[in-house]
PDB file of all heavy atoms in Angstrom:
ATOM      1  N   TYR X  88      20.607 -21.908  -8.323  1.00 98.00           N
ATOM      2  CA  TYR X  88      20.719 -22.460  -7.004  1.00 98.00           C
ATOM      3  C   TYR X  88      19.697 -23.476  -6.609  1.00 98.00           C
ATOM      4  O   TYR X  88      18.716 -23.553  -7.300  1.00 98.00           O
ATOM      5  CB  TYR X  88      20.791 -21.324  -5.898  1.00 98.00           C
ATOM      6  CG  TYR X  88      19.612 -20.326  -5.935  1.00 98.00           C
ATOM      7  CD1 TYR X  88      18.441 -20.671  -5.347  1.00 98.00           C
ATOM      8  CD2 TYR X  88      19.756 -19.091  -6.599  1.00 98.00           C
ATOM      9  CE1 TYR X  88      17.392 -19.693  -5.373  1.00 98.00           C
ATOM     10  CE2 TYR X  88      18.765 -18.180  -6.648  1.00 98.00           C
ATOM     11  CZ  TYR X  88      17.558 -18.554  -6.061  1.00 98.00           C
ATOM     12  OH  TYR X  88      16.440 -17.592  -6.177  1.00 98.00           O
ATOM     13  N   GLN X  92      13.120 -26.725   1.009  1.00 98.00           N
ATOM     14  CA  GLN X  92      11.915 -25.967   1.160  1.00 98.00           C
ATOM     15  C   GLN X  92      11.102 -26.704   2.191  1.00 98.00           C
ATOM     16  O   GLN X  92      10.830 -27.967   2.025  1.00 98.00           O
ATOM     17  CB  GLN X  92      11.143 -25.870  -0.134  1.00 98.00           C
ATOM     18  CG  GLN X  92      11.851 -25.026  -1.133  1.00 98.00           C
ATOM     19  CD  GLN X  92      11.053 -24.843  -2.489  1.00 98.00           C
ATOM     20  OE1 GLN X  92      10.472 -25.767  -2.991  1.00 98.00           O
ATOM     21  NE2 GLN X  92      10.995 -23.664  -2.867  1.00 98.00           N
ATOM     22  N   LEU X 100      16.371 -24.726  -7.945  1.00 98.00           N
ATOM     23  CA  LEU X 100      15.309 -23.659  -7.933  1.00 98.00           C
ATOM     24  C   LEU X 100      15.698 -22.525  -8.831  1.00 98.00           C
ATOM     25  O   LEU X 100      15.374 -22.449 -10.028  1.00 98.00           O
ATOM     26  CB  LEU X 100      15.051 -23.271  -6.530  1.00 98.00           C
ATOM     27  CG  LEU X 100      14.553 -24.308  -5.554  1.00 98.00           C
ATOM     28  CD1 LEU X 100      14.652 -23.770  -4.130  1.00 98.00           C
ATOM     29  CD2 LEU X 100      13.036 -24.535  -5.910  1.00 98.00           C
ATOM     30  N   GLY X 101      16.714 -21.787  -8.382  1.00 98.00           N
ATOM     31  CA  GLY X 101      17.209 -20.685  -9.154  1.00 98.00           C
ATOM     32  C   GLY X 101      16.364 -19.379  -9.179  1.00 98.00           C
ATOM     33  O   GLY X 101      15.256 -19.391  -8.664  1.00 98.00           O
ATOM     34  N   ASP X 102      16.853 -18.264  -9.722  1.00 98.00           N
ATOM     35  CA  ASP X 102      16.189 -17.095  -9.896  1.00 98.00           C
ATOM     36  C   ASP X 102      15.102 -17.244 -10.959  1.00 98.00           C
ATOM     37  O   ASP X 102      15.301 -16.951 -12.048  1.00 98.00           O
ATOM     38  CB  ASP X 102      17.095 -15.957 -10.263  1.00 98.00           C
ATOM     39  CG  ASP X 102      17.962 -15.492  -9.228  1.00 98.00           C
ATOM     40  OD1 ASP X 102      17.754 -15.608  -8.004  1.00 98.00           O
ATOM     41  OD2 ASP X 102      19.122 -15.001  -9.490  1.00 98.00           O
ATOM     42  N   GLY X 103      13.874 -17.591 -10.440  1.00 98.00           N
ATOM     43  CA  GLY X 103      12.761 -17.810 -11.360  1.00 98.00           C
ATOM     44  C   GLY X 103      12.166 -16.559 -11.795  1.00 98.00           C
ATOM     45  O   GLY X 103      11.457 -16.524 -12.859  1.00 98.00           O
ATOM     46  N   ARG X 104      12.406 -15.514 -11.110  1.00 97.00           N
ATOM     47  CA  ARG X 104      11.768 -14.118 -11.530  1.00 97.00           C
ATOM     48  C   ARG X 104      12.726 -13.073 -11.168  1.00 97.00           C
ATOM     49  O   ARG X 104      12.263 -11.857 -11.138  1.00 97.00           O
ATOM     50  CB  ARG X 104      10.327 -13.979 -11.017  1.00 97.00           C
ATOM     51  CG  ARG X 104      10.328 -14.147  -9.477  1.00 97.00           C
ATOM     52  CD  ARG X 104       8.949 -13.702  -9.101  1.00 97.00           C
ATOM     53  NE  ARG X 104       8.717 -14.123  -7.754  1.00 97.00           N
ATOM     54  CZ  ARG X 104       7.619 -13.736  -7.029  1.00 97.00           C
ATOM     55  NH1 ARG X 104       6.728 -12.976  -7.658  1.00 97.00           N
ATOM     56  NH2 ARG X 104       7.397 -14.160  -5.768  1.00 97.00           N
ATOM     57  N   SER X 132      12.370 -20.478 -14.129  1.00 97.00           N
ATOM     58  CA  SER X 132      10.998 -20.096 -13.778  1.00 97.00           C
ATOM     59  C   SER X 132      10.057 -21.356 -13.501  1.00 97.00           C
ATOM     60  O   SER X 132       8.864 -21.170 -13.069  1.00 97.00           O
ATOM     61  CB  SER X 132      10.300 -19.189 -14.792  1.00 97.00           C
ATOM     62  OG  SER X 132      11.025 -17.958 -14.948  1.00 97.00           O
ATOM     63  N   ARG X 133      10.588 -22.514 -13.782  1.00 95.00           N
ATOM     64  CA  ARG X 133       9.775 -23.709 -13.681  1.00 95.00           C
ATOM     65  C   ARG X 133       8.449 -23.524 -14.318  1.00 95.00           C
ATOM     66  O   ARG X 133       8.318 -23.153 -15.444  1.00 95.00           O
ATOM     67  CB  ARG X 133       9.804 -24.201 -12.257  1.00 95.00           C
ATOM     68  CG  ARG X 133      11.190 -24.568 -11.751  1.00 95.00           C
ATOM     69  CD  ARG X 133      11.264 -24.857 -10.293  1.00 95.00           C
ATOM     70  NE  ARG X 133      10.983 -23.735  -9.465  1.00 95.00           N
ATOM     71  CZ  ARG X 133      10.596 -23.809  -8.193  1.00 95.00           C
ATOM     72  NH1 ARG X 133      10.281 -24.996  -7.596  1.00 95.00           N
ATOM     73  NH2 ARG X 133      10.496 -22.751  -7.513  1.00 95.00           N
ATOM     74  N   ALA X 135       6.114 -21.270 -13.605  1.00 95.00           N
ATOM     75  CA  ALA X 135       5.599 -20.053 -13.201  1.00 95.00           C
ATOM     76  C   ALA X 135       5.979 -18.952 -14.259  1.00 95.00           C
ATOM     77  O   ALA X 135       6.681 -19.172 -15.186  1.00 95.00           O
ATOM     78  CB  ALA X 135       6.008 -19.498 -11.827  1.00 95.00           C
ATOM     79  N   ASP X 136       5.517 -17.708 -14.091  1.00 95.00           N
ATOM     80  CA  ASP X 136       5.538 -16.679 -15.197  1.00 95.00           C
ATOM     81  C   ASP X 136       6.701 -15.685 -15.075  1.00 95.00           C
ATOM     82  O   ASP X 136       6.851 -14.887 -15.938  1.00 95.00           O
ATOM     83  CB  ASP X 136       4.149 -15.913 -15.255  1.00 95.00           C
ATOM     84  CG  ASP X 136       3.889 -15.253 -13.917  1.00 95.00           C
ATOM     85  OD1 ASP X 136       4.687 -15.385 -12.945  1.00 95.00           O
ATOM     86  OD2 ASP X 136       2.732 -14.768 -13.845  1.00 95.00           O
ATOM     87  N   GLY X 137       7.415 -15.741 -13.968  1.00 97.00           N
ATOM     88  CA  GLY X 137       8.572 -14.815 -13.802  1.00 97.00           C
ATOM     89  C   GLY X 137       8.085 -13.388 -13.388  1.00 97.00           C
ATOM     90  O   GLY X 137       8.861 -12.506 -13.301  1.00 97.00           O
ATOM     91  N   ARG X 138       6.842 -13.228 -13.136  1.00 98.00           N
ATOM     92  CA  ARG X 138       6.307 -11.935 -12.793  1.00 98.00           C
ATOM     93  C   ARG X 138       5.979 -11.769 -11.266  1.00 98.00           C
ATOM     94  O   ARG X 138       5.907 -12.838 -10.592  1.00 98.00           O
ATOM     95  CB  ARG X 138       5.072 -11.690 -13.663  1.00 98.00           C
ATOM     96  CG  ARG X 138       5.358 -11.449 -15.166  1.00 98.00           C
ATOM     97  CD  ARG X 138       6.300 -10.233 -15.386  1.00 98.00           C
ATOM     98  NE  ARG X 138       6.451 -10.002 -16.753  1.00 98.00           N
ATOM     99  CZ  ARG X 138       7.389  -9.120 -17.188  1.00 98.00           C
ATOM    100  NH1 ARG X 138       8.077  -8.365 -16.304  1.00 98.00           N
ATOM    101  NH2 ARG X 138       7.571  -8.842 -18.535  1.00 98.00           N
ATOM    102  N   ARG X 176      -3.101 -14.398 -10.484  1.00 93.00           N
ATOM    103  CA  ARG X 176      -2.711 -15.104  -9.290  1.00 93.00           C
ATOM    104  C   ARG X 176      -3.912 -15.682  -8.535  1.00 93.00           C
ATOM    105  O   ARG X 176      -4.995 -14.998  -8.469  1.00 93.00           O
ATOM    106  CB  ARG X 176      -1.984 -14.191  -8.302  1.00 93.00           C
ATOM    107  CG  ARG X 176      -0.559 -13.765  -8.703  1.00 93.00           C
ATOM    108  CD  ARG X 176       0.438 -14.955  -8.612  1.00 93.00           C
ATOM    109  NE  ARG X 176       1.725 -14.585  -8.956  1.00 93.00           N
ATOM    110  CZ  ARG X 176       2.292 -14.567 -10.245  1.00 93.00           C
ATOM    111  NH1 ARG X 176       1.533 -14.897 -11.243  1.00 93.00           N
ATOM    112  NH2 ARG X 176       3.453 -14.073 -10.477  1.00 93.00           N
ATOM    113  N   VAL X 267       9.044 -17.790   5.319  1.00 97.00           N
ATOM    114  CA  VAL X 267       9.451 -18.874   4.505  1.00 97.00           C
ATOM    115  C   VAL X 267      11.009 -18.979   4.481  1.00 97.00           C
ATOM    116  O   VAL X 267      11.648 -18.703   3.448  1.00 97.00           O
ATOM    117  CB  VAL X 267       8.772 -18.761   3.163  1.00 97.00           C
ATOM    118  CG1 VAL X 267       9.013 -17.464   2.490  1.00 97.00           C
ATOM    119  CG2 VAL X 267       9.097 -19.947   2.210  1.00 97.00           C
ATOM    120  N   ASP X 271      17.056 -21.489   0.292  1.00 98.00           N
ATOM    121  CA  ASP X 271      17.214 -20.621  -0.856  1.00 98.00           C
ATOM    122  C   ASP X 271      16.938 -19.155  -0.400  1.00 98.00           C
ATOM    123  O   ASP X 271      17.178 -18.333  -1.268  1.00 98.00           O
ATOM    124  CB  ASP X 271      16.486 -21.079  -2.053  1.00 98.00           C
ATOM    125  CG  ASP X 271      14.936 -21.141  -1.717  1.00 98.00           C
ATOM    126  OD1 ASP X 271      14.530 -21.884  -0.839  1.00 98.00           O
ATOM    127  OD2 ASP X 271      14.185 -20.505  -2.395  1.00 98.00           O
ATOM    128  N   ASN X 272      16.446 -18.998   0.699  1.00 98.00           N
ATOM    129  CA  ASN X 272      16.010 -17.624   1.154  1.00 98.00           C
ATOM    130  C   ASN X 272      16.861 -17.221   2.271  1.00 98.00           C
ATOM    131  O   ASN X 272      16.544 -16.279   3.077  1.00 98.00           O
ATOM    132  CB  ASN X 272      14.521 -17.545   1.565  1.00 98.00           C
ATOM    133  CG  ASN X 272      13.611 -17.778   0.364  1.00 98.00           C
ATOM    134  OD1 ASN X 272      13.949 -17.570  -0.771  1.00 98.00           O
ATOM    135  ND2 ASN X 272      12.336 -18.177   0.612  1.00 98.00           N
ATOM    136  N   ASP X 281      14.367 -11.948   0.381  1.00 98.00           N
ATOM    137  CA  ASP X 281      13.181 -12.561  -0.120  1.00 98.00           C
ATOM    138  C   ASP X 281      11.895 -12.333   0.777  1.00 98.00           C
ATOM    139  O   ASP X 281      11.502 -13.287   1.342  1.00 98.00           O
ATOM    140  CB  ASP X 281      13.420 -14.039  -0.470  1.00 98.00           C
ATOM    141  CG  ASP X 281      13.969 -14.255  -1.869  1.00 98.00           C
ATOM    142  OD1 ASP X 281      14.374 -13.365  -2.503  1.00 98.00           O
ATOM    143  OD2 ASP X 281      14.044 -15.512  -2.400  1.00 98.00           O
TER     144      ASP X 281
HETATM  145  P1  AMP J 601      10.308 -18.106  -2.887  1.00 88.79           P
HETATM  146  O1  AMP J 601       9.521 -19.038  -2.072  1.00 88.79           O
HETATM  147  O2  AMP J 601       9.616 -16.811  -3.254  1.00 88.79           O
HETATM  148  O3  AMP J 601      11.673 -17.958  -2.468  1.00 88.79           O
HETATM  149  O4  AMP J 601      10.342 -18.843  -4.315  1.00 88.79           O
HETATM  150  C1  AMP J 601      10.878 -20.136  -4.435  1.00 88.79           C
HETATM  151  C2  AMP J 601      11.295 -20.353  -5.899  1.00 88.79           C
HETATM  152  O5  AMP J 601      10.192 -20.172  -6.849  1.00 88.79           O
HETATM  153  C3  AMP J 601      12.415 -19.570  -6.355  1.00 88.79           C
HETATM  154  O6  AMP J 601      13.221 -20.159  -7.192  1.00 88.79           O
HETATM  155  C4  AMP J 601      11.657 -18.431  -7.092  1.00 88.79           C
HETATM  156  O7  AMP J 601      12.445 -17.825  -8.120  1.00 88.79           O
HETATM  157  C5  AMP J 601      10.558 -19.194  -7.764  1.00 88.79           C
HETATM  158  N1  AMP J 601       9.461 -18.362  -7.994  1.00 88.79           N
HETATM  159  C6  AMP J 601       8.477 -17.850  -7.245  1.00 88.79           C
HETATM  160  N2  AMP J 601       7.543 -17.131  -7.827  1.00 88.79           N
HETATM  161  C7  AMP J 601       7.819 -17.190  -9.097  1.00 88.79           C
HETATM  162  C8  AMP J 601       7.187 -16.726 -10.389  1.00 88.79           C
HETATM  163  N3  AMP J 601       6.087 -15.928 -10.292  1.00 88.79           N
HETATM  164  N4  AMP J 601       7.850 -16.988 -11.559  1.00 88.79           N
HETATM  165  C9  AMP J 601       8.865 -17.817 -11.583  1.00 88.79           C
HETATM  166  N5  AMP J 601       9.475 -18.259 -10.556  1.00 88.79           N
HETATM  167  C10 AMP J 601       8.991 -18.027  -9.312  1.00 88.79           C
END
Side-chain angles (χ1 to χ4, degrees):
Y88 52 81
Q92 297 184 312
L100 297 167
D102 286 332
R104 55 171 167 173
S132 296
R133 294 177 292 156
D136 57 7
R138 290 298 182 189
R176 288 288 182 273
V267 58
D271 56 303
N272 294 339
D281 271 9

